[in-house]
C-alpha cells in the first residue's frame, strides 16, 4: 500500500445514467441504451465521463483480476494460463475444465470441494454439445470455477477452512475485500452474493477504472503485474475462443480487459490510461461498441477497434442499422464529454 487514505464508500443510490448508445435502424434512432462511462488519462485524471461514475455499482466479474491479486498476495503460487484462469469468466471449453482440475489437484482437492453453483458451459456452442452428450450442469463447467478452485487452493496453503470459504467473514474474503479497497482507492459500499456464490463488493465505476490502471502500471513481478501479464498472454484462458474480451486484448497491444455480467467492461493500457463502462440495462450489444468508443476516446488508434463497432441490425436478412455510441464518445477532440 502507498499510504494514501481510502476515500469514503460511494453513495448507494439510483445511478444518474446518461445515453451512451443509440440503436439506429434505417437512419433513425429506434432505441437508446443508458449507462455510465469513465475514461482516465495516464495521470489518473478523468478525461471523459458520461452518466454517474461515482455511484455504487456491482462490477460483477470485472472484479476477478482484483480477487486474483488478493490470492497471490495470500500465497497462491499460480502463473501463466492457470493464473489467467483464476481471473476468468471462462466459456466452459475443455481447456478451462482441465485447467480447473489441475488447480484442484495441486490443492489436493476435487470438484466436490467447489462451492460455486452448478451450471452448463457459458459458450453457446460448447453448451449445445454438452447437452447433446447428455451431460448435466456441473460446478466445473460453471464460468467461475477457475476462480473458485484458486480460492480453495489459497485456503489450503493458508491453513484456512474450506467449507465456508465463501463467507464474507472468512480470512480469504476479508483479504480480497481489503485488496479491492486498496486498488480502487475507496471503501466498499455494499457486500452481496454474486451469481456464482462468492461475495460481491460494490464500488464506483471510477474506482474500478483506477484499479485496472494500477494493475497495468504495477512494477514487474508484483501480484498486480503478474495477473495483468497472465491475462494478456492467455486471453482465451481468461474468457474463451471467440469471446469479444479476448479479441479486444489481442487487437490492442498491451491492453488488459475484463467483462462482467449486467453490461460491465473495464480495460487499461500499460501507461495507465483506463476505461470503465456500465450499461444500465445490462445489454451486451451496447457494452462492446461503447467500450471500444471509450478506448478510442482514451487515445487508442480507432483502426484497431473497427471489429468492435457492434453487430449490424438486420431487416429482412440484410443490415439496416447498428448500435452506435453517442457522439460524446467520439475520439475527435471535444470541449467536454459530460
Amino acid at each position: 500500500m502507498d499510504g494514501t487514505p481510502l476515500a469514503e464508500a460511494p453513495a448507494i443510490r439510483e445511478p444518474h445514467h446518461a445515453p451512451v448508445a443509440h440503436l439506429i435502424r434505417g437512419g433513425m434512432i429506434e432505441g437508446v441504451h443508458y449507462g455510465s462511462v469513465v475514461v482516465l488519462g495516464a495521470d489518473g485524471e478523468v478525461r471523459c465521463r458520461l452518466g454517474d461514475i461515482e455511484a455504487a455499482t456491482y462490477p460483477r466479474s470485472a472484479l476477478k483480476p482484483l480477487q486474483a491479486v488478493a490470492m497471490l498476495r495470500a500465497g497462491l503460487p499460480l502463473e501463466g494460463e492457470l493464473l489467467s484462469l483464476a481471473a476468468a469468466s471462462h466459456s466452459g471449453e475443455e481447456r478451462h475444465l482441465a485447467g480447473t482440475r489441475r488447480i484442484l489437484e495441486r490443492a489436493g482437492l476435487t470438484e466436490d470441494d467447489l462451492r460455486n453453483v452448478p451450471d452448463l458451459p457459458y459458450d453457446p456452442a460448447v453448451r449445445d454439445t454438452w447437452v447433446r452428450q447428455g451431460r448435466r450442469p456441473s460446478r466445473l463447467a460453471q464460468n467461475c470455477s477457475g476462480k473458485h478452485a484458486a480460492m480453495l487452493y489459497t485456503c489450503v496453503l493458508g491453513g484456512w477452512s474450506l467449507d465456508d470459504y465463501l463467507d464474507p467473514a472468512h480470512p480469504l474474503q476479508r483479504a480480497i475485500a481489503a485488496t479491492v479497497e486498496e486498488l480502487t482507492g475507496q471503501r466498499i459500499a455494499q457486500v452481496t452474493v454474486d451469481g456464482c456464490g462468492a461475495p460481491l463488493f460494490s464500488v464506483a465505476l471510477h474506482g474500478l477504472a483506477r484499479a485496472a490502471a494500477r494493475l497495468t502500471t504495477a512494477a514487474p513481478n508484483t501480484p498486480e503485474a503478474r495477473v495483468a501479464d497472465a491475462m494478456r498472454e492467455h486471453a482465451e484462458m481468461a474468457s474463451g475462443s471467440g469471446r469479444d474480451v479476448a479479441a479486444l486484448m489481442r487487437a490492442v497491444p498491451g491492453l488488459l480487459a475484463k467483462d462482467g455480467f449486467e453490461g460491465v467492461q473495464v480495460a487499461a493500457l500499460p501507461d495507465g490510461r483506463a476505461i470503465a463502462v456500465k450499461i444500465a440495462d445490462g445489454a451486451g450489444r451496447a457494452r462492446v461498441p461503447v467500450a471500444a468508443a471509450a478506448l478510442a476516446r482514451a487515445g487508442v488508434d480507432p483502426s484497431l477497434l473497427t471489429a468492435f463497432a457492434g453487430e449490424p441490425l438486420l431487416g429482412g436478412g440484410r443490415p439496416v442499422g447498428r448500435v452506435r455510441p453517442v457522439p460524446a464518445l467520439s475520439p475527435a477532440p471535444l470541449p467536454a464529454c459530460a
Side-chain angles (χ1 to χ4, degrees):
M1 297 183 64
D2 60 9
T4 303
L6 294 175
E8 291 301 314
I12 299 175
R13 61 178 180 236
E14 179 179 352
H16 308 305
H17 291 307
V20 294
H22 294 148
L23 178 64
I24 307 294
R25 182 182 293 272
M28 189 181 83
I29 296 176
E30 181 182 25
V32 179
H33 286 288
Y34 282 72
S36 296
V37 180
V38 60
V39 178
L40 302 183
D43 57 0
E45 294 298 314
V46 175
R47 293 288 181 257
C48 173
R49 72 171 73 204
L50 286 176
D52 194 344
I53 67 170
E54 304 296 355
T57 191
Y58 289 126
R60 303 299 298 272
S61 287
L63 271 183
K64 285 178 178 173
L66 281 62
Q67 293 170 312
V69 169
M71 288 188 275
L72 290 183
R73 290 178 175 182
L76 183 68
L78 297 181
E79 300 289 347
E81 65 177 9
L82 293 186
L83 178 54
S84 183
L85 182 60
S89 300
H90 66 69
S91 291
E93 299 167 36
E94 184 52 42
R95 60 177 159 184
H96 301 128
L97 276 59
T100 301
R101 290 191 193 98
R102 286 167 59 194
I103 296 172
L104 289 169
E105 288 168 0
R106 291 189 184 187
L109 302 172
T110 69
E111 180 180 354
D112 292 338
D113 294 294
L114 295 170
R115 293 290 180 268
N116 58 320
V117 177
D119 202 355
L120 297 171
Y122 179 75
D123 181 88
V126 177
R127 182 170 59 248
D128 288 347
T129 299
W130 187 281
V131 171
R132 284 196 302 270
Q133 293 172 344
R135 303 170 75 177
R136 299 181 63 81
S138 79
R139 298 184 192 277
L140 204 64
Q142 198 268 338
N143 76 90
C144 302
S145 64
K147 177 185 77 175
H148 281 256
M151 285 181 170
L152 283 168
Y153 191 10
T154 305
C155 290
V156 168
L157 294 170
W160 297 329
S161 57
L162 303 183
D163 289 346
D164 61 342
Y165 76 94
L166 297 182
D167 188 327
H170 190 280
L172 172 66
Q173 301 303 336
R174 291 204 306 268
I176 290 174
T179 297
V180 169
E181 290 189 329
E182 177 193 337
L183 295 176
T184 60
Q186 60 190 176
R187 300 287 182 190
I188 290 167
Q190 182 94 339
V191 182
T192 188
V193 183
D194 209 340
C196 66
L200 176 61
F201 308 112
S202 177
V203 296
L205 204 63
H206 187 180
L208 183 63
R210 185 163 48 232
R214 287 177 173 173
L215 266 63
T216 57
T217 59
N221 298 317
T222 59
E224 295 91 327
R226 288 165 59 193
V227 170
D229 290 344
M231 293 180 67
R232 289 181 292 206
E233 292 169 14
H234 303 277
E236 284 78 11
M237 205 65 164
S239 53
S241 303
R243 293 274 292 281
D244 57 75
V245 68
L248 191 60
M249 285 193 277
R250 290 195 304 270
V252 181
L255 185 73
L256 172 68
K258 185 70 187 77
D259 54 346
F261 279 153
E262 297 302 326
V264 178
Q265 180 75 58
V266 65
L269 293 153
D271 64 0
R273 286 174 291 160
I275 66 104
V277 170
K278 165 65 180 176
I279 305 300
D281 61 5
R285 70 178 183 183
R287 172 183 58 83
V288 177
V290 169
L295 285 168
R297 196 73 163 84
V300 173
D301 183 349
S303 68
L304 300 176
L305 301 166
T306 54
F308 308 98
E311 297 180 3
L313 303 176
L314 302 181
R318 62 184 180 85
V320 294
R322 68 174 57 250
V323 175
R324 183 180 301 162
V326 295
L329 289 172
S330 166
L334 294 172
C337 189

